[in-house]
Amino acid sequence: MRHRSLLILTSVLTTGALTLTACGSRDEGKGGGDNAGGTTTVVIGVDAPLTGSLSALGQGIKNSVDLAVQTANKNKEVPGVTFKIEALDDQAVPASGQANATKLVGNKDVVGVVGPLNSGVSQQMQGVFASANLAQVSPANTNPSLSQGDNWGKGEFKRPFKTYFRTAATDVVQGKFAAQYLFNDAKKKKVFVVDDKQTYGAGLAAIFSDEFKRLGGQVVGTDHVTVKETDFSSTADKVKSLGADSVYFGGQYPEGGLLSDQIKKTGAKVPVMGGDGIYDPAFISASGEANEGDLATSIGYPVEKLPTAKKFIEDYKAAGYKDPYAAYGGYSYDAGWAIIQAVKAVVQANNGKLPSDARAKVTEALGKVSFDGVTGKVSFDEYGDTTNKQLTVYKVEGGKWIDVKSDTFNQ
């Protein structure tokens, strides 16, 4: 699905000069010095829920892209280019995301966009970006249809938009991985499945259920909750009465934490498991009852344990951001860096100048990007999906998420 003040960077690169064409704006140097050659400003858009219940994830996305931009400017990654970000708040609302997409398309300096967090929001943005050849790279979307088409479940794969990419593994991977862990490792055989009726949650729950049943497990009951709802007592009672030994929740942490709390209050001491949408400290704090043993899957390996992420973590801390990078920080940095590398390739191929069709060229270059990123090897397949399919299961222990199993998933 998955996954704070707007910081505009003004550092000017000194090596080389780019000719302004259709994208990017020219900053003329005045009075010689470092600005004498002039630079081209290239904007990377960011769309995420910067306010509201999911802002903990959204701010981590924004800050991490900002850090990628700061790093590129500091290191003169693309001679003659100054990168900036334009971050917009979608509040996890599809209509807001669509409006933001239109606004970003209207800014001629934007050559790529990182985001959004939510798959449902992305569904309303994809067409807007595609109409303008503007690439988007989501660090958190997990719904398979975004990249593989609506009939992916039937084995019919068709990429809807060539401008869409993601650094997050899909729910096909995550849902199956969760089912295999719950059945094979946790030894649970009777699960109750709940979803929040949203694109991410319902899709993830369906994939999980199919795999759990294929393995020989039983789905003893299902239910749906509504986003921003707080009373899940009827669902909790069903879990208890049907004798489920576990619960799988497709949704986000605000509802997931309350659901776990209310299930525990019925006396049903069973683990609640979910996807990366619940993998956040706020899931734990939302439950008044101890939720030891609850489980979540998340894309990738724990960032803190990746040697490739050491510098990212150090730089993020040194930058002094108020909020943590959260679940999608590493993937957001890599998404931003992928766009930066695509810009670099396009400029190098055009004699050090930004071409008039920069957006289309950046989209094309993204498909060929390959580098060692914060989260491991970053590259995309023919659908724009990440080739990195590493996942981790986390368990609540001592009031914190502790990783209990990491593996590379092979379908």
Side-chain angles (χ1 to χ4, degrees):
M1 196 282 358
R2 70 287 247 9
H3 330 147
R4 303 219 199 224
S5 58
L6 176 61
L7 180 58
I8 299 296
L9 306 175
T10 56
S11 60
V12 179
L13 301 175
T14 60
T15 307
L18 298 185
T19 300
L20 171 64
T21 49
C23 293
S25 59
R26 181 74 172 271
D27 299 321
E28 296 296 342
K30 298 179 180 179
D34 288 346
N35 293 341
T39 67
T40 293
T41 297
V42 169
V43 177
I44 296 177
V46 179
D47 178 87
L50 303 179
T51 59
S53 61
L54 298 179
S55 61
L57 298 175
Q59 291 290 347
I61 290 173
K62 186 203 73 172
N63 293 342
S64 298
V65 179
D66 180 73
L67 181 59
V69 164
Q70 285 198 54
T71 302
N73 288 342
K74 179 181 178 181
N75 297 342
K76 300 179 175 60
E77 187 69 22
V78 184
V81 168
T82 298
F83 289 98
K84 297 182 179 180
I85 69 168
E86 180 177 356
L88 301 179
D89 180 14
D90 63 32
Q91 298 182 311
V93 176
S96 297
Q98 187 176 53
N100 289 347
T102 300
K103 183 175 181 180
L104 290 168
V105 164
N107 182 345
K108 62 181 175 57
D109 295 340
V110 176
V111 299
V113 178
V114 176
L117 168 71
N118 306 88
S119 293
V121 174
S122 195
Q123 284 181 322
Q124 299 302 310
M125 302 179 80
Q126 286 182 304
V128 178
F129 289 138
S131 66
N133 286 320
L134 182 58
Q136 69 172 120
V137 187
S138 174
N141 291 167
T142 53
N143 186 277
S145 64
L146 295 171
S147 57
Q148 299 177 18
D150 292 335
N151 293 324
W152 64 268
K154 300 177 182 178
E156 301 172 14
F157 306 108
K158 183 178 180 181
R159 188 177 183 181
F161 301 103
K162 66 179 181 180
T163 50
Y164 181 81
F165 300 83
R166 57 176 140 200
T167 53
T170 72
D171 289 334
V172 174
V173 177
Q174 190 174 193
K176 289 183 178 181
F177 187 68
Q180 290 171 13
Y181 180 87
L182 194 63
F183 185 85
N184 295 325
D185 297 78
K187 307 298 182 184
K188 302 300 181 184
K189 311 300 180 186
K190 299 169 65 178
V191 67
F192 189 98
V193 179
V194 186
D195 70 69
D196 64 359
K197 299 180 284 189
Q198 301 298 300
T199 301
Y200 163 77
L204 185 58
I207 294 166
F208 167 87
S209 297
D210 287 345
E211 180 68 4
F212 194 79
K213 288 184 286 188
R214 187 191 71 79
L215 293 169
Q218 180 184 2
V219 176
V220 298
T222 62
D223 207 352
H224 310 282
V225 300
T226 302
V227 172
K228 296 186 178 179
E229 185 180 349
T230 58
D231 183 2
F232 306 124
S233 56
S234 63
T235 300
D237 289 340
K238 292 175 187 176
V239 171
K240 177 74 181 299
S241 64
L242 290 171
D245 61 13
S246 53
V247 174
Y248 188 82
F249 174 63
Q252 306 284 352
Y253 61 78
E255 293 75 30
L258 292 175
L259 176 65
S260 177
D261 177 66
Q262 292 170 36
I263 288 171
K264 305 295 190 289
K265 285 179 177 176
T266 68
K269 304 299 183 183
V270 301
V272 172
M273 187 177 199
D276 52 333
I278 73 166
Y279 174 56
D280 192 277
F283 170 86
I284 300 172
S285 61
S287 178
E289 295 289 313
N291 52 2
E292 296 286 294
D294 282 355
L295 301 159
T297 54
S298 189
I299 53 177
Y301 291 170
V303 171
E304 293 76 13
K305 294 187 176 182
L306 287 172
T308 52
K310 183 178 179 181
K311 189 173 189 307
F312 164 74
I313 294 171
E314 292 174 349
D315 289 349
Y316 193 96
K317 182 178 180 180
Y321 296 114
K322 184 179 69 174
D323 303 287
Y325 48 80
Y328 304 105
Y331 298 93
S332 302
Y333 185 99
D334 284 346
W337 199 253
I339 294 173
I340 290 166
Q341 292 304 303
V343 171
K344 183 178 182 178
V346 167
V347 168
Q348 288 178 340
N350 196 50
N351 299 316
K353 302 175 183 179
L354 198 66
S356 59
D357 57 345
R359 286 178 172 177
K361 285 290 197 299
V362 167
T363 295
E364 182 181 355
L366 267 171
K368 303 172 185 176
V369 159
S370 180
F371 61 92
D372 293 322
V374 173
T375 59
K377 192 72 174 180
V378 178
S379 61
F380 306 101
D381 64 17
E382 67 268 34
Y383 303 104
D385 286 332
T386 179
T387 58
N388 184 344
K389 294 179 171 58
Q390 300 169 333
L391 296 106
T392 298
V393 176
Y394 294 85
K395 179 186 286 188
V396 178
E397 293 183 0
K400 296 180 180 180
W401 287 112
I402 305 296
D403 57 287
V404 293
K405 183 178 183 178
S406 295
D407 205 352
T408 298
F409 186 85
N410 297 307
Q411 291 179 253

